[in-house]
Amino acid sequence: MDSLTSLIDGFGTALTPAHLLWAAVGVLLGTAIGVLPGIGPAMAVALLLPVTYGLEPTAALIMFAGIYYGGMFGGSTTSILLNTPGESAAVVAAIEGNPMAKSGRGSQALAAAAIGHFAGGMIGTVLLVALAPVIADLAVDIGAPDYFALMVLAFIAVTSVLGRSRIRGFASLLVGLTIGLVGLDQMTGQERLTFGSLQLADGIDVIIVAVGLFAVGEALWVAARLRSGNQGPIPVGRPWLARSDVRRTWKPWLRGPVIGFPFGAIPAGGAEIPTFLSYVTEKRLSKHKDEFGKGAIEGVAGPESAASASAAGTLVSMLTLGLPTTATAAVMLAAFQQYGIQPGPLLFDREPDLVWGLIASLFLGMFLLLLINLPLAPVWAKLLRIPRPYLYAGILFFAAVGAYAVSGEAVDLVILLVIGLIGLGMRRYGLPVLPAIIGVILGPAAEQQMRRALQLSDGSLSGLVNTPFAVTVYAVIALILLWPLVRRLVTSGAGRARRGSRTP
Amino acid sequence: MTNEPTKDGTRTPAEPPDDDARDAPDGRGGDGGGDGGDGKAVGGGTATPDGGGRLALLRGRSELGVCVLLLAIGVLVLVDARTMDTGYAQRGPVGPEAAPTVIGIALLVVAALLAVDVLRGGRGEAEGGEDIDLDAPSEWRTVLLLAGVFLATAFLIGEVGFPIAGALLFWGAAYALGSRAYAGDPLVAAVLSVVTYTVFNNLLGVPLPGGPLMEVL
């Protein structure tokens, strides 16, 4: 009941005209940027960060949440109408959504996706309201060794669960951790990797790293391999669903969050796995199995709902533990830190107005998104026709704005370019970007927690494993690390079958 | 940048066949990423273009550049950690050199493991995407142009202010990416830049330098 009254207070915060305006601006911008081909939610959030610099924290984060959810709504439009999704979570939506659009059922696909996002987001956010304060309460007691263990878990999980090559994931993580080292040591003021440069002594701003890796790196990589003669988007009318469609989609909409939410909350890479699991589930449960692969509406409804719910799940661990599980959440964490706010168990006590205002605005944002996405889908679809040179020139332009706005120094643009070139190299050689960004953001915090824990134990390494919680987390880490070995021993055949079906 | 001619000489003529066209960029890739990492240049430089049969080996070798780069970063981090003045202001048993030491050693280990993986035939999968044609030969010229435009913006922004520098960035980038609307592009760039400046500076409260142009207006 306690969280219910807090939530009502939150609505009080979110429903002020100014905050409502920023929420509306956020969902509009988020949808627009999300629809633009080639821009996933992480890049959208990174590019739009500077927009919020001049705002007070609550307004900024409310706008941000709108961008986050808006980006996901917009992204499914791209994958359905263009077929080549810009981000991993939208891959599944394209499997069924694009054939539907091709066979003239694009309107139904868009509607199933939009309502799926709405349902998943709603259910996910309700679960967030119910669970976040509980988890925050539990987490208040956990200490430095536990935090360190959790962060190591995040590192291991993003490098091991996702991606095709672990070693490349680790390489990426270490690059991120190294970037995180640059600057003054937080505890002693010792300069690290600054090479005597005053500019580097301040450290490299996380925003610049995020914008560099996501936006500049991506734009340069696309520039190197720009596809000539893009196939245009499939024209589409206003989204609507016939009664027979609703009969097929309401169950997937409700099942999606059950799969999506828990996966969002754990560091397993966000929406990629749950959307796929939801797809497989719907395929198994459907009465129209033969339609799968040729445009089955269940295959759009379920995964899209799971994706939105996983976004809400992501917020649980981000807000209560300060642990980002996706690239988008990592950038959001950076946004929090920009305002000197540290997400964690104490956030709910220290900044109740902000947190509950943010959560309430998620509910409002969802309604706004449904409103602007259902009737206006054909308008958004027009954005897909943007000439590619303008699109990527625009990305570079706004990346420059964002990096420059951080501190108003031109040197930041040079650093941005260097990090962008690193991002280009990573894409060329298959190093995933997510571990790097998690490394940059969590690395310094993990180091602090480690040193604090070892300080308490007077340097003995046992200080890292002296709580049951930490031991449990390390056991999970060991399991993740040994999983390929275990799987090979137990089910050598099943593993191969699953991998085969993952690449549609 | 210095060894580009030799590589270009040997590679560019081999472009038409699909396979060779694909690894041609590897050699020049090192040069393109020169600011980011010389390791790649080393890897790319060692690769010798041969028939399509050697393709896997070539690609693998260019990826060894990544290992060299990781190795270099690892050594750099370790040297930096070793030369740290750890005596002063130390609080607790773990000093500022501990984390860099761990990360540095891990970088060396990963560099070695990645090298082993590459030599055994593993290769990084280049990232696909909406507008990415993985079968197309890479246009490193475009990347270089974009990097140049971006650097120019960094130097110009303090001199001529954001509206002009931003417009030049957009126009230059669009040109590099193949847009050739000689009337439309500058117009779009100017409008975008001025509108962005006004919105950020006046509406959102994010200060950007106006430069001489805004002083005149």
Side-chain angles (χ1 to χ4, degrees), chain A residues 38-134:
Chain A
I39 303 188
M43 201 213 284
V45 175
L47 276 180
L48 289 170
L49 255 176
V51 175
T52 63
Y53 283 171
L55 304 177
E56 44 105 9
T58 312
L61 290 171
I62 283 177
M63 185 170 164
F64 233 75
I67 293 170
Y68 186 20
Y69 278 19
M72 301 205 29
F73 268 72
S76 51
T77 307
T78 321
S79 37
I80 289 169
L81 299 182
L82 265 185
N83 187 30
T84 33
E87 43 126 10
S88 51
V91 169
V92 174
I95 304 175
E96 299 301 327
N98 194 252
M100 280 182 76
K102 276 191 183 137
S103 60
R105 284 175 39 88
S107 307
Q108 284 81 358
L110 285 181
I115 300 174
H117 273 304
F118 178 77
M122 275 297 179
I123 297 171
T125 313
V126 167
L127 290 173
L128 166 71
V129 171
L131 284 178
V134 181

Side-chain angles (χ1 to χ4, degrees), chain A residues 22 36-39 50-51 53-55 78 82 84-86 164 167-168 170-171 174-175 177-178 181 185 187-193 195 216 218 220-227 230 388-394 396-398 400-401 404-405 410 413-414 416-418 421-422 424-425 427-431 433 447 450-451 454-455 458-459, chain B residues 25-26 32 35-36 40 59 62-63 66 70 73 76-77 80 84-85 88-96 99-100 103 106-107 110 113-114 117-118 122-127 129-134 136-140 142-143 146-147 150-151 154 157 162 166 169-170 173-174 177-179 184-185 188 192-193 196 200 204-206 208-209:
Chain A
W22 291 122
L36 286 177
I39 303 188
V51 175
Y53 283 171
L55 304 177
T78 321
L82 265 185
T84 33
R164 284 163 191 87
I167 192 70
R168 286 169 183 81
F170 275 110
L174 288 167
V175 169
L177 289 174
T178 307
L181 281 179
D185 171 36
M187 281 178 142
T188 62
Q190 168 72 43
E191 286 189 16
R192 293 195 295 201
L193 295 173
F195 313 108
V216 179
E218 177 77 12
L220 292 178
W221 173 228
V222 172
R225 296 278 169 100
L226 190 59
R227 188 189 298 275
N230 279 294
R388 294 308 184 265
Y390 284 1
L391 173 65
Y392 292 100
L396 287 174
F397 174 86
F398 282 105
V401 174
Y404 190 77
L413 292 181
V414 180
L416 179 71
L417 178 63
V418 171
L421 288 170
I422 296 176
L424 166 71
R427 286 174 170 82
R428 166 65 182 82
Y429 290 106
L431 302 187
V433 179
E447 186 196 355
M450 176 194 76
R451 281 160 75 175
L454 289 177
Q455 221 163 330
D458 211 22
Chain B
D26 290 357
D35 323 38
K40 268 174 283 171
R59 274 184 65 112
S62 102
E63 206 179 339
V66 179
L70 290 172
I73 300 175
L76 190 72
V77 172
D80 188 72
M84 256 177 226
D85 185 10
Y88 81 107
Q90 177 132 333
R91 284 168 27 194
V94 188
I103 293 172
L107 275 165
V110 165
L113 288 177
L114 185 60
D117 182 69
V118 170
R123 60 161 85 154
E125 233 172 281
E127 195 182 278
E130 232 141 24
D131 291 329
I132 295 167
D133 186 357
L134 285 177
S138 299
E139 295 279 345
W140 296 113
T142 311
V143 176
L146 286 177
F150 210 87
L151 272 183
I157 198 162
F162 179 81
L169 168 63
F170 184 88
L177 288 159
S179 185
D185 291 351
V188 171
L192 177 74
S193 195
T196 307
F200 273 80
L204 293 165
V206 180
L208 293 171

Side-chain angles (χ1 to χ4, degrees), chain A residues 309-390:
Chain A
S310 97
T314 300
L315 288 178
V316 174
S317 44
M318 209 272 279
L319 292 174
T320 61
L321 300 172
L323 208 64
T325 55
T326 63
T328 322
V331 181
M332 275 185 88
L333 186 69
F336 272 92
Q337 287 167 347
Q338 199 80 1
Y339 290 103
I341 301 165
Q342 184 56 51
L346 297 175
L347 184 69
F348 282 79
D349 284 336
R350 284 193 192 146
E351 307 271 357
D353 288 354
L354 185 144
V355 183
W356 290 106
L358 174 70
I359 294 175
S361 77
L362 291 178
F363 286 107
L364 299 176
M366 226 89 67
F367 278 105
L368 285 173
L369 279 167
L370 198 62
L371 274 180
I372 63 170
N373 271 279
L374 278 186
L376 294 179
V379 181
W380 295 118
K382 286 207 170 66
L383 285 176
L384 294 174
R385 297 179 185 281
I386 183 172
R388 294 308 184 265
Y390 284 1

